[in-house]
Amino acid sequence: QAQLVESGGGLVQPGGSLRLSCVSSGLRFKYDAIGWFRQAPGKERDWVSCITSDGSTRYADSVKGRFTISRDNDKKAAYLQVNSLKPEDTAVYYCATKPEGDSLVLGSPCRRTDDFRSWGQGTQVTVSS
């Protein structure tokens, strides 16, 4: 089971940007799909973005066009560039990973967002004037 550590959160003004990082200790990181999630106070955890081992990406409608997910397999790291931030983006952001199956049979691992297995501790993003 992989251990994940997020960083890069902070306090920013509306319209500002951050780059969130996630470093993994997983032995099979190169072959895992990576997801970013967020949870605001009093609300359930929401899926934000996903990237597969070959670089295919998906985004939630609420962040499409503003956020960008990426990965660096040599560093066993994933990133979420968050731009044009809004107050409603305020949340704890988590990264997560899951092993990929046979995409030829199951389709893209990012088509499902409810089966991530390893989770980080989260990093706080606060958007306020």
Side-chain angles (χ1 to χ4, degrees):
Q1 184 174 186
Q3 185 170 344
L4 307 173
V5 179
E6 301 97 332
S7 63
L11 174 63
V12 297
Q13 292 183 291
S17 299
L18 291 169
R19 190 176 83 150
L20 310 183
S21 298
C22 171
V23 178
S24 174
S25 64
L27 298 177
R28 288 181 52 83
F29 179 84
K30 179 180 181 179
Y31 307 101
D32 288 346
I34 305 165
W36 281 95
F37 298 76
R38 65 186 182 185
Q39 186 169 25
K43 298 184 178 180
E44 67 179 4
R45 185 176 61 208
D46 291 328
W47 170 75
V48 174
S49 187
C50 180
I51 186 168
T52 67
S53 62
D54 67 357
S56 179
T57 61
R58 287 188 63 214
Y59 298 91
D61 289 342
S62 59
V63 306
K64 188 176 182 179
R66 299 188 297 122
F67 291 8
T68 303
I69 189 172
S70 61
R71 66 191 297 161
D72 185 335
N73 290 333
D74 289 338
K75 296 181 178 179
K76 299 177 66 175
Y79 308 97
L80 187 69
Q81 179 70 38
V82 295
N83 298 330
S84 302
L85 286 166
K86 306 173 182 179
E88 51 264 46
D89 294 320
T90 296
V92 177
Y93 283 71
Y94 301 90
C95 67
T97 62
K98 63 178 179 180
E100 295 186 351
D102 187 346
S103 61
L104 294 178
V105 176
L106 303 176
S108 172
C110 288
R111 290 180 63 89
R112 291 191 173 187
T113 61
D114 62 348
D115 56 350
F116 285 85
R117 296 171 58 182
S118 298
W119 295 81
Q121 84 293 336
T123 184
Q124 177 71 49
V125 172
T126 302
V127 185
S128 176
S129 298

